Amino acid sequence: MPAEAGRPAPPDPAPARPPAAPPLATPRIRCPLPPARHPAEHAVIRETLGWMRRFGYVTTPDEEAAAREAGFGELGALTYPHGSLEGAALAAQLMVWLFLQDDRFSERAPARGRMEDLADHILWSQRVLHGGAGVPPVPEPYLAALVDLRTRIARMAAHNEQVERFTDGFNRYLGAAAAEAIYRSRGLAPDLEQYLRLRESTILMRGMCFVVIELADDCYLPGPVWARRDVRRCEQAAARAIAFTHDVLSGLRELHWPGHTNLITVLARRFRCPLHEAVARAVGMCERQTALFQRLSAPLAAEGDARLARYVRGMGAWIRGNLDWSMTCGRYHVATPRTTGELPALFGA
């Protein structure tokens, strides 16, 4: 019926909204590796919080409460349960630096159109890594914290080769972080093959976190052993298991961030499937890499080389400790994912 003269026509009815997607269930990742925890866990937590205060990460009671909820000290105790307290505390503090600089530079710089901030951060970080004792005064606390970590790693290392491994691994990580930020700043997403190559560098295991196993558990691997193909394949399986676990469990919050890419979203695009199916695919990838690590690590541990056996044990502890921490830490909120579209404001909360 036409509208009466002088009276506006009624508006068209609003289109029906598609039904909301059901909330994703908390994924269950099976891990047959045994759990372990450093016997001095409370000291690791205490030293990590003290380090965060020292370098300005924690300046108020609210920030300290958020830091405790994030559980960075617990991460060090779970992923480095064997060996020295000094090594576990160093590892926890390295994780603080890596997680929080990632939030500040790799996440926020592209979101704010400030890629030059990330470029400056990378160049200064490389200067710290390669400068040793000759680094000039740094411009901000993140870099002062990195100077401290680099100095302590050099002091703990039994061989200069370990410092070079760490530095090279860190450089590889920084290059991949830059590539990831470029994708994000342009609103682009890598395909599955590109993403897997990128993730092997951004997870920073072989050249960084696994080097800290050598320092913490006194298990230096001579170059010919470290470079063996069977050792590298074992490391790769461990690193992938850790990366995929991280993507699944941190990914529940990242799905709500505009333009963010992780394994879940990459799989959903690749297979044109809903998110719950992509999560299931990612869980399967994680569990298969853990099983592969077990198959590859067993003969290495049985060789009779005590240092190699401790190194392999440390990689297994990383796989299981990362899973246990991720399920309960205040950074990811796995049980009750937050649906805000904003990037994390404080320690990933």
Side-chain angles (χ1 to χ4, degrees), residues 172-173 175-177 179-180 183 190-204 236 239-240 243-244 247 263 266 270 285:
R172 184 178 177 188
Y173 160 73
E180 190 174 45
Y183 278 125
D191 62 27
L192 179 59
E193 288 72 22
Q194 290 170 322
Y195 182 77
L196 293 179
R197 289 196 299 272
L198 189 71
R199 199 68 179 98
E200 289 208 347
S201 295
T202 57
I203 196 58
L204 45 89
Q236 183 183 62
R240 286 178 173 176
F244 299 161
D247 276 21
L263 182 61
V266 169
R270 170 67 175 271
M285 292 171 65

Side-chain angles (χ1 to χ4, degrees), residues 279-289:
V279 170
R281 286 177 179 270
V283 168
M285 292 171 65
C286 174
E287 292 177 346
R288 286 193 294 275
Q289 290 298 320

Side-chain angles (χ1 to χ4, degrees), residues 28-312:
R28 296 181 179 274
I29 300 176
R30 293 186 300 273
C31 182
L33 297 167
R37 191 180 294 263
H38 200 283
E41 177 182 19
H42 293 300
V44 176
I45 295 170
R46 183 174 62 250
E47 291 192 14
T48 300
L49 284 169
W51 186 86
M52 294 178 75
R53 294 188 201 100
R54 177 184 170 193
F55 289 101
Y57 293 105
V58 169
T59 59
T60 68
D62 286 346
E63 289 177 350
E64 177 149 342
R68 289 183 182 276
E69 184 184 9
F72 294 116
E74 287 89 337
L75 176 60
L78 288 167
T79 52
Y80 295 85
H82 314 293
S84 68
L85 166 61
E86 181 184 11
L90 171 67
Q93 293 152 26
L94 175 63
M95 293 302 105
V96 171
W97 193 91
L98 290 165
F99 277 126
L100 300 189
Q101 67 85 35
D102 184 68
D103 289 349
R104 176 177 171 182
F105 295 102
S106 299
E107 301 285 358
R108 291 186 177 278
R112 294 173 175 172
R114 297 277 308 177
M115 290 292 285
E116 65 272 22
D117 292 346
L118 177 60
D120 288 345
H121 171 69
I122 288 175
L123 293 173
W124 263 106
S125 297
Q126 290 176 323
R127 192 172 183 180
V128 169
L129 290 168
H130 293 280
V135 176
V138 293
E140 51 97 18
Y142 276 74
L143 293 166
L146 183 59
V147 171
D148 175 74
L149 294 169
R150 167 64 168 78
T151 301
R152 290 159 61 202
I153 285 167
R155 185 175 66 240
M156 289 182 65
H159 300 269
N160 288 336
E161 183 180 357
Q162 293 169 301
V163 179
E164 290 302 316
R165 290 174 190 173
F166 182 87
T167 301
D168 288 346
F170 213 130
N171 278 326
R172 184 178 177 188
Y173 160 73
L174 290 171
E180 190 174 45
I182 291 169
Y183 278 125
R184 193 174 296 129
S185 70
R186 300 294 300 276
L188 302 173
D191 62 27
L192 179 59
E193 288 72 22
Q194 290 170 322
Y195 182 77
L196 293 179
R197 289 196 299 272
L198 189 71
R199 199 68 179 98
E200 289 208 347
S201 295
T202 57
I203 196 58
L204 45 89
M205 285 291 135
R206 183 174 191 261
M208 291 178 62
C209 296
F210 292 169
V211 173
V212 179
I213 295 174
E214 296 184 51
L215 307 183
D217 207 9
D218 189 24
C219 56
Y220 162 66
L221 297 187
V225 177
W226 186 72
R228 276 171 37 183
R229 185 172 182 272
D230 54 350
V231 173
R232 297 193 65 172
R233 288 186 64 218
C234 185
E235 291 168 333
Q236 183 183 62
R240 286 178 173 176
I242 294 162
F244 299 161
T245 297
H246 180 273
D247 276 21
V248 170
L249 298 180
S250 74
L252 296 180
R253 65 171 189 155
E254 293 171 357
L255 293 175
H256 305 288
W257 295 353
H260 199 82
T261 297
N262 63 24
L263 182 61
I264 297 172
T265 59
V266 169
L267 289 171
R269 284 193 297 270
R270 170 67 175 271
F271 296 102
R272 302 181 182 276
C273 64
L275 289 177
H276 72 271
E277 181 180 327
V279 170
R281 286 177 179 270
V283 168
M285 292 171 65
C286 174
E287 292 177 346
R288 286 193 294 275
Q289 290 298 320
T290 300
L292 177 60
F293 166 78
Q294 287 188 291
R295 291 198 301 273
L296 296 174
S297 65
L300 299 178
E303 275 190 17
D305 183 335
R307 292 176 301 184
L308 181 57
R310 291 200 299 275
Y311 185 72
V312 166

